Amino acid sequence: MHLVPAERADHRTIDGHRVCEAIAAIGDTARVRTWAERFSLLADPGRLALLLALHRAGPLAVSDLAVATGMRDPAVSQALRLLRTAGVVAGERDGRVVRYRVVDQELGTLLAPCAAAGQGGPEPAVS
């Protein structure tokens, strides 16, 4: 039980080796917090729809994203502002038009199976 922090070392365990594996799987608490924040961005259907559209179609303007997602322009802008602040998307100006794209590669990896499911691909397993 070499991975158990000192403040928990006196706790009784049933499967000590599995406790160590679980602690190793959790890893750094700051990284867990970062992933929890990423998942919270995905928890909103509107933001998830925007991210899926950007992941699949590439750079899109606010008005095009509004048409694709069925959202209103102000709601798209507000969601993109949040996603941009989180470092998930970036906008590139082309004259008066700003096109947004997903810049977080790890999040892009998470979106791939979700995007495939939306295209008639395999649905996620439910346990």
Side-chain angles (χ1 to χ4, degrees), residues 93-108:
R93 183 171 292 281
D94 181 15
R96 292 180 47 182
V97 176
V98 178
R99 288 183 178 86
Y100 292 88
R101 63 186 175 86
V102 176
V103 294
D104 185 323
Q105 297 297 325
E106 290 178 318
L107 188 63

Side-chain angles (χ1 to χ4, degrees), residues 75-115:
V76 170
S77 294
Q78 181 179 3
L80 288 171
R81 192 174 311 115
L82 178 67
L83 295 169
R84 194 174 56 241
T85 300
V88 173
V89 300
E92 295 176 3
R93 183 171 292 281
D94 181 15
R96 292 180 47 182
V97 176
V98 178
R99 288 183 178 86
Y100 292 88
R101 63 186 175 86
V102 176
V103 294
D104 185 323
Q105 297 297 325
E106 290 178 318
L107 188 63
T109 302
L110 283 176
L111 292 171
C114 208

Side-chain angles (χ1 to χ4, degrees), residues 15-113:
D15 296 309
H17 65 286
R18 289 192 179 169
V19 171
C20 289
E21 287 178 29
I23 291 171
I26 295 167
D28 179 45
T29 55
R31 180 128 172 97
V32 170
R33 195 172 304 110
T34 298
W35 274 103
E37 290 169 4
R38 278 188 178 127
F39 285 126
S40 73
L41 291 172
L42 300 176
D44 176 77
R47 288 192 302 264
L48 180 56
L50 291 170
L51 289 168
L52 288 169
L54 291 171
H55 176 74
R56 170 75 178 177
L60 289 166
V62 169
S63 57
D64 292 341
L65 283 166
V67 171
T69 61
M71 298 169 65
R72 296 188 177 270
D73 285 14
V76 170
S77 294
Q78 181 179 3
L80 288 171
R81 192 174 311 115
L82 178 67
L83 295 169
R84 194 174 56 241
T85 300
V88 173
V89 300
E92 295 176 3
R93 183 171 292 281
D94 181 15
R96 292 180 47 182
V97 176
V98 178
R99 288 183 178 86
Y100 292 88
R101 63 186 175 86
V102 176
V103 294
D104 185 323
Q105 297 297 325
E106 290 178 318
L107 188 63
T109 302
L110 283 176
L111 292 171

